[in-house]
Amino acid sequence: MLPATCGNGDNGGIGLARPDPLLSRSMYSRLPSTYELLEALAAAPAPAPVPASVSRDSATSWAQRSGRGLWLGFVITLAATLLAAAGLAIWRLVLKHPLPPWSIRLAEALLVLSAACYAGAGLMRLPGVLAIVRNPLRWQASQMDLDSAIENSLLRRLGRIHPLQLQARQRRVALQLRLWEGMARTVGLLLALAPAALVLVSGLHPLPLQAEMKGSLLWLYAVMVVVGAAFYLYVHVQCSRPLRRLLHVLGEAAEINARLGARRTGPAPSTEPAPAQ
């Protein structure tokens, strides 16, 4: 057996490094990529077994299938309506041909059909919306339980990853989160301020046909504000919120693994020599 210290050479009096059993065991565990972790957070867990006394499964599944079908029909008919309207505009404004009456009736029928599909999809979702309105706390608790089940599954998956790896990934995710949120705020602010800048420029330097452009400027300002708010909301829902959840899960996993590793390894043995008898 080699002693803990060596008196010869450059390492005289320096204790030998003791390998960390947690580090040597967990460094072989691969930390999944960030996209895999985000997919794990977005995946729904397996549904719990439903008691046999519940008899509304067929009605609920039928309502869900009908709602999805009506929503798909709304998307298809809306796309067809937009294509038909674009074709009519090109036929009338670009090609300078008169519009046949049946084409206008077709566009109107597609528009009515898309509105009917949208209203039907809303009616199919109405019982769920009413249940949420009647008892919002129960809906919120069920959503929290679902998120907790997903996060607990990911925590078990990250159980053999070293805390230093988790903390490093957590810092990278925090950096990406700041970049996404800064970009969303910047783009939203620019979209909201661009029409205001145009109004300011028109006040300093009058534009041609400025009197006729007041209504157009107001519409442009409203559209740009709505587009900026929609873009910020989209980035928040699709990017910022998943990254925040992943940041929270990585922090919890690092803390849990660090505490379990400290409990497993125990206090480091002392290297001081025993007192002489």
Side-chain angles (χ1 to χ4, degrees):
M1 295 292 291
L2 292 176
T5 59
C6 180
N8 298 326
D10 297 333
N11 293 329
I14 301 178
L16 295 177
R18 298 179 180 274
D20 187 356
L22 179 63
L23 181 62
S24 60
R25 181 170 58 253
S26 63
M27 286 300 287
Y28 290 101
S29 300
R30 184 184 71 89
L31 178 60
S33 64
T34 304
Y35 191 73
E36 291 180 11
L37 296 176
L38 291 174
E39 281 187 335
L41 284 178
V50 181
S53 59
V54 179
S55 60
R56 294 180 298 174
D57 294 341
S58 59
T60 303
S61 61
W62 176 84
Q64 291 177 353
R65 288 195 299 266
S66 301
R68 286 194 295 266
L70 288 172
W71 182 256
L72 181 61
F74 164 72
V75 173
I76 294 175
T77 52
L78 181 61
T81 304
L82 294 177
L83 290 176
L88 293 178
I90 294 174
W91 185 266
R92 182 68 182 89
L93 299 177
V94 179
L95 300 179
K96 306 296 183 181
H97 294 314
L99 294 176
W102 63 267
S103 62
I104 301 177
R105 299 293 181 269
L106 178 61
E108 291 176 351
L110 288 174
L111 183 61
V112 171
L113 184 59
S114 63
C117 290
Y118 184 81
L123 289 176
M124 288 299 173
R125 296 182 180 181
L126 186 60
V129 175
L130 292 179
I132 293 174
V133 172
R134 284 195 301 266
N135 196 348
L137 185 59
R138 180 177 181 180
W139 173 80
Q140 183 66 32
S142 64
Q143 291 297 317
M144 291 175 61
D145 293 339
L146 179 62
D147 293 341
S148 297
I150 297 173
E151 292 172 2
N152 290 337
S153 176
L154 184 57
L155 284 174
R156 288 190 295 269
R157 183 178 177 182
L158 299 176
R160 293 184 61 84
I161 308 297
H162 196 272
L164 296 179
Q165 291 179 281
L166 296 172
Q167 291 171 2
R169 181 64 61 84
Q170 184 184 14
R171 289 191 293 268
R172 298 190 187 102
V173 172
L175 176 60
Q176 292 296 323
L177 176 63
R178 289 195 296 269
L179 291 176
W180 273 107
E181 291 183 343
M183 182 267 294
R185 284 193 295 265
T186 302
V187 173
L189 187 62
L190 290 177
L191 289 176
L193 293 181
L198 182 59
V199 172
L200 180 61
V201 170
S202 65
L204 298 177
H205 302 283
L207 301 175
L209 303 177
Q210 184 172 352
E212 291 80 0
M213 292 175 60
K214 289 183 179 179
S216 301
L217 287 176
L218 289 176
W219 277 106
L220 177 63
Y221 185 77
V223 169
M224 295 296 280
V225 169
V226 171
V227 169
F231 176 77
Y232 182 80
L233 182 62
Y234 175 80
V235 172
H236 174 74
V237 172
Q238 297 294 329
C239 301
S240 298
R241 186 174 181 271
L243 289 177
R244 284 186 180 276
R245 287 187 65 194
L246 180 58
L247 194 68
H248 174 70
V249 172
L250 288 174
E252 283 190 343
E255 182 180 358
I256 292 174
N257 292 356
R259 292 187 178 183
L260 290 178
R263 182 179 301 177
R264 189 180 297 115
T265 56
S270 176
T271 57
E272 296 181 357
Q277 297 294 333

